[in-house]
Amino acid sequence: MASIWEYANPVKFMRLTNRVLPWVSGLAAVALAVGLIWGFFFTPDDFRQGSTVKIIYIHVPAALMAINAWFMMLATSLVWLIRRHHVSALAAKAAAPVGAVMTLIALITGAIWGQPMWGTWWAWDPRLTSFLILFLFYLGYIALWEAIENSDTAADLTAVLCLVGSVFAILSRYAVNFWNQGLHQGASLSLDKKENVADVFYIPLLFCIAGFVLFFISLVLLRTRTEIRLRRAKALMARERLA
Amino acid sequence: MIALLLRDLKLAMRAGGGFGLGLAFFLIVTVLVPFGVGPESALLSRIAPGILWMGALLACLLSLDRIFALDWEDGSLDLLATSPLPLEAVATSKAVAHWLTTGLPLTLVSPVLGLLLNLPTSGYLWLVVSLGLGTPALSVIGTFGAALTVGLKRGGLLLSLLVLPLYVPTLIFGAEVARRGVEGLTLSAPLLLLAGISLAAVAVLPFVSALVLRVNLR
């Protein structure tokens, strides 16, 4: 019986991703192109915010992926700690820089958006602050991976760091909430219709989010494949040295 | 465990690191602030709780990489790991030793530095209470960070990067307690949350530190 754990086998993983990757990245490109072009050129300017509202098509999906990337790393770290599948640990390693860049994009686009809207590049607002902390977490996580030579040790330690970090990330989220009142608006996407942004912006935004999700998946798959190949190359070199 | 604790305390006192360095650093930070922001006493008394908390946190951070590094270098950490004492107890006693040599003296000396920063009299009690409640969490979290980076050659900088985001909630609630204490506002909510963080960290993190140490000693 086939189970999902079979793809923990690097050979099978490589074979599957080899077939899937062009499709995922192609779909990502299409969704991003549709969403961005539609969003930038074929939606009206917002009556209060003018054309700056269009940064939403990058800001919101990037922020979404910044958090989801951490969740993905948390899940793969747990899989590594419990079942010790190497592909899982490598996927977490591969996702971290992508997540960090997504966080940075969200922070920068937020600053660019916030400047004309709020009159400031940065405010110590709960959402902004917790994103900055998330970015620091990503940096620490990546630095720890880079600092340790033995890859199994590195995988173990970073997985534990990811777990502990998640707890503290959630804590920080509520702590900064407590600490200061917000400038950032509430959620602009939810199942509750009233909270949603207006329909004209909503559909291209959905395309952009789908595009970012697919883009993230394809990047992570690509980077995981690179990590697996790197590890194989290292194993080959070690064997050569012994021979 | 008590023997280990006493040994660490003795080493910290004799090697001149623990007590002196952290306290001196705390003093330096506090003294430098008025030069940086100006000697206006109204401003100073407003930012005093936050500055004192920042100084205490940085002083704690400074001494973190000593927690395991020396024992790692001379091999006594391996001996500790193979001794009948469980590694969890080792991590706990290391954290306690760190707190006794940095957290506790910082807490005790903070009123004097509060005086330098023109802290209002209503704030002293709550400053000491918040530091007393919060510094154990700083020590335990720091022990976890030190355990993560124990085998690394230049772990110090990485250690700060790893530990700083973990310190954020403690810092926020601790400084909030001190600030509200100064202004005479109700402070039960941040006080309880600060105590909660400390207790949870003390209860859980020694086990995580021991796990991480085992990985590093493998």
Side-chain angles (χ1 to χ4, degrees), chain A residues 84 133 136-137 139-141 143-144 147-148 152-153 156-157 160-161 164-165 168 171-172 174-176 178-179, chain B residues 141 144 148-149 152 158 161-162 165-166 168-169 172-173 176 180 189-190 193 197 205 208 211-212 215-216 218:
Chain A
R84 306 203 76 77
I133 297 167
L136 286 180
F137 269 126
L139 289 188
Y141 182 90
L144 190 62
I148 302 168
D152 273 11
T153 311
D156 275 336
L157 295 183
V160 175
L161 177 70
V164 175
F168 277 89
L171 253 178
S172 309
Y174 289 100
V176 295
F178 195 86
W179 174 52
Chain B
I141 296 169
F144 166 64
L148 267 181
T149 53
L152 301 175
L158 179 62
L161 180 62
L162 293 179
L166 301 179
V168 168
I172 289 176
F173 288 126
E176 183 79 12
R180 290 195 180 193
L193 283 164
I197 291 175
L205 278 178
V208 185
L211 179 91
V212 166
V215 171
N216 261 333
R218 193 164 60 193

Side-chain angles (χ1 to χ4, degrees), chain B residues 31 74 93 111 115 130 178 185 189 194 217:
Chain B
V31 168
D74 64 9
S93 91
L115 197 71
S130 70
L185 303 169
L194 179 66
L217 291 172

Side-chain angles (χ1 to χ4, degrees), chain B residues 59-81:
Chain B
C60 253
L61 199 62
L62 194 69
S63 51
L64 282 184
D65 62 342
R66 300 174 54 90
I67 294 183
F68 291 116
L70 296 177
D71 286 352
W72 166 266
E73 274 163 21
D74 64 9
S76 46
L77 196 60
D78 294 296
L79 283 182
L80 286 175

